[in-house]
Amino acid sequence: MRSYNFSPGPAALPKEVLERAAKEMVEYAGDGMSVMEMSHRSKMYEDIHNAAIDLLRELMAIPDNYKILFLQGGASQQFAMIPMNLKKNGKADFVITGEWSARAYKEASNILEAKVAASSENEKFAFIPEIKEISADADYFHICSNNTITGTRFLEFPDTGDVPLVADMSSGILSEIFDVSKFGLIYAGAQKNIGPAGLTVVIIREDLLERENKIPAFFKYKQHADTNSMLNTPPTYSIYMTKLCLEWLKSKGGVAGIQKNNEAKAKVLYDFLDNSQMFKGIAAKSHRSLMNVPFTTGDEAKDKDFVKAAATAGFVNLGGHRLVGGLRASIYNAMPTEGVQALVDFMEKFEKGK
Ligand SMILES: *Cc1c(COP(=O)(O)O)cnc(C)c1O
């Protein structure tokens, strides 16, 4: 039996997608081989590759003056690739809202002068700090739109004027509608809310491809853009799985449809936490994530007991991040509302000592 998997990533995938992939595993669409065995230069693979790109453009309403890149190396590689490519004046601003944005800041510091524009570190990243100043001469302004570990998200994005807004959307992409035209660059590791691990998506405004920096060709966005992300062998199977996930998302009413579902789904869990005597949500109510819900009983031993009991009952990966402890339920697009309702029922019983 499949567990309800609350992993923060790699995360649960839609069952329908896995079943379809299983059917097509040995021979794909009469092409005589598995997708994994296709040449990335073949027409059969290219059709899958382009369909995935087109679907993402459609689902996120990505304007024509943006390129979609399918890369590897995870969001972590983007922490370095972004400053390498976007450097102009040699300065960039960062909002520090958790572990991932802190890492993006640290990596960029190796390449340019990185400045902290705002931070909620002193308050354990429980909320999104107010942004008081944006350096006009910054090469870009970096945020992490949804904070996977501490469970906060930006509900409004800062107006950065001519400074390109860059967002790590690894755990929030495709969960709600975003106006892509507000951003210079969006990036995300696929393994949270897009598809399986191995693929990294970068959405970049075309003018930003033209910044001249002396860096190895392989790390240049423009090289990848000019070759339709086929500079070398792309992660073909991950891209195929991503295409299936995007088709699934489209069948659920696209991003607008899934957003509605995500809001209702997260509410089930937050309402429970707000009324429970035992469990408490950790993030500030004003900035709660729809995707990652950290919570705790306030007692480390009890948290551990809960993780164990929950796993036995079929609710897995509910431990908090190793840096912060406590508990966390990641409820990405593929987690059905029934899964969250079942978890809440279980928490209720646990609280009553049954
Ligand atoms: C998981 C995560 C990362 C790291 O992603 P990798 O693909 O493993 O490098 C970065 N940022 C955010 C917001 C994440 O959730």
Side-chain angles (χ1 to χ4, degrees):
M1 202 183 93
R2 274 174 66 77
S3 308
Y4 282 122
N5 181 6
F6 294 91
S7 168
L13 292 166
K15 187 160 169 262
E16 299 94 308
V17 165
L18 295 170
E19 283 165 348
R20 168 133 181 235
K23 262 194 209 149
E24 296 177 344
M25 169 66 81
V26 177
E27 191 192 354
Y28 174 79
D31 282 342
M33 62 187 76
S34 165
V35 174
M36 277 182 273
E37 302 168 301
M38 292 177 184
S39 160
H40 61 294
R41 305 285 176 204
S42 65
K43 164 120 181 36
M44 37 188 168
Y45 173 71
E46 227 176 314
D47 287 348
I48 295 169
H49 189 89
N50 290 330
I53 292 173
D54 292 348
L55 271 163
L56 188 64
R57 190 177 294 281
E58 179 188 341
L59 286 165
M60 289 184 72
I62 298 170
D64 289 342
N65 63 326
Y66 285 75
K67 285 272 194 282
I68 298 168
L69 310 181
F70 282 173
L71 307 179
Q72 299 185 64
S76 300
Q77 183 168 297
Q78 293 311 307
F79 297 162
M81 255 178 106
I82 291 163
M84 283 163 101
N85 281 271
L86 300 195
K87 188 172 164 185
K88 210 164 94 182
N89 298 327
K91 292 176 185 179
D93 282 359
F94 290 77
V95 182
I96 311 296
T97 51
E99 170 68 12
W100 295 117
S101 46
R103 284 210 211 173
Y105 164 76
K106 241 176 144 178
E107 280 289 80
S109 308
N110 291 315
I111 292 161
L112 42 67
E113 195 185 311
K115 191 181 124 191
V116 176
S119 171
S120 51
E121 188 174 5
N122 288 341
E123 273 81 23
K124 292 187 177 166
F125 301 121
F127 59 91
I128 303 287
E130 197 188 332
I131 296 155
K132 296 212 177 85
E133 211 191 311
I134 287 157
S135 314
D137 61 346
D139 296 335
Y140 63 96
F141 189 94
H142 184 278
I143 61 166
C144 180
S145 65
N146 183 79
N147 295 282
T148 324
I149 298 173
T150 44
T152 62
R153 75 177 155 135
F154 280 79
L155 284 109
E156 272 174 54
F157 294 105
D159 178 1
T160 53
D162 289 337
V163 178
L165 178 60
V166 171
D168 177 354
M169 285 201 182
S170 293
S171 51
I173 194 166
L174 295 169
S175 67
E176 57 183 319
I177 292 176
F178 296 116
D179 178 357
V180 174
S181 72
K182 284 192 173 150
F183 299 86
L185 188 154
I186 290 168
Y187 65 103
Q191 70 275 17
K192 271 79 184 239
N193 208 29
I194 301 176
L199 171 67
T200 310
V201 171
V202 171
I203 302 163
I204 181 169
R205 210 174 61 212
E206 278 171 350
D207 60 288
L208 297 175
L209 295 169
E210 304 305 328
R211 293 192 178 177
E212 285 295 331
N213 280 298
K214 218 171 154 42
I215 50 175
F218 192 76
F219 295 115
K220 272 193 180 172
Y221 289 132
K222 188 156 178 10
Q223 295 275 341
H224 291 282
D226 288 348
T227 54
N228 192 28
S229 304
M230 295 258 208
L231 189 54
N232 70 330
T233 316
T236 52
Y237 199 75
S238 294
I239 291 169
Y240 155 76
M241 285 295 291
T242 291
K243 172 182 165 278
L244 297 189
C245 289
L246 294 175
E247 285 169 353
W248 173 86
L249 181 55
K250 191 172 168 180
S251 79
K252 299 283 163 193
V255 179
I258 209 83
Q259 175 173 350
K260 240 187 186 170
N261 194 56
N262 287 336
E263 283 164 354
K265 187 173 78 184
K267 189 174 185 301
V268 171
L269 185 48
Y270 284 124
D271 281 353
F272 171 77
L273 291 171
D274 289 344
N275 290 300
S276 166
Q277 299 300 308
M278 181 184 279
F279 299 99
K280 290 273 166 286
I282 293 172
K285 282 188 188 178
S286 51
H287 295 116
R288 279 173 165 173
S289 168
L290 293 175
M291 297 282 101
N292 309 95
V293 184
F295 56 100
T296 180
T297 62
D299 173 348
E300 212 175 303
K302 195 175 272 177
D303 283 351
K304 285 209 170 99
D305 285 348
F306 175 76
V307 170
K308 248 195 215 157
T312 306
F315 306 97
V316 301
N317 289 319
L318 283 164
H321 190 275
R322 63 198 148 76
L323 290 176
V324 298
L327 304 161
R328 171 177 51 171
S330 294
I331 50 174
Y332 298 112
N333 287 351
M335 171 59 64
T337 306
E338 305 91 80
V340 173
Q341 188 56 59
L343 173 66
V344 162
D345 293 346
F346 177 78
M347 288 167 80
E348 218 160 12
K349 268 203 239 160
F350 185 88
E351 183 167 346
K352 286 182 186 142
K354 283 182 196 159

